[in-house]
Amino acid sequence: MTGKFEWFTDKAGKWRWHLLAGNGQIIATSQGYKSKQACMDGIESVRKNAPGAPVVENQPATMMANA
């Protein structure tokens, strides 16, 4: 099974999405959106922008200064 997006409304009535791995575990979650369309746009943004996204390490400045 491949990964999939699922969308839903939370207790506050905001729209959210989860990205599920093939085994059904949540591997990403969104912010709350005011509308379903904004939520769908968020999903599409991840689909469009993530395939070639680099993987980078983010270290606090203090850690880098000591390296």
Side-chain angles (χ1 to χ4, degrees):
M1 178 178 165
T2 62
K4 65 180 178 181
F5 288 92
E6 67 177 13
W7 53 267
F8 58 96
T9 54
D10 64 17
K11 292 178 183 177
K14 295 203 175 197
W15 296 88
R16 296 182 179 269
W17 56 260
H18 287 152
L19 175 57
L20 304 174
N23 64 3
Q25 290 192 336
I26 296 170
I27 57 174
T29 189
S30 75
Q31 65 186 34
Y33 296 93
K34 291 182 180 180
S35 69
K36 181 180 175 184
Q37 185 58 54
C39 183
M40 297 297 116
D41 291 346
I43 291 171
E44 191 55 36
S45 177
V46 171
R47 288 175 141 174
K48 178 181 174 185
N49 295 300
V55 177
V56 298
E57 183 175 4
N58 183 1
Q59 293 185 358
T62 55
M63 289 180 68
M64 293 186 72
N66 294 329

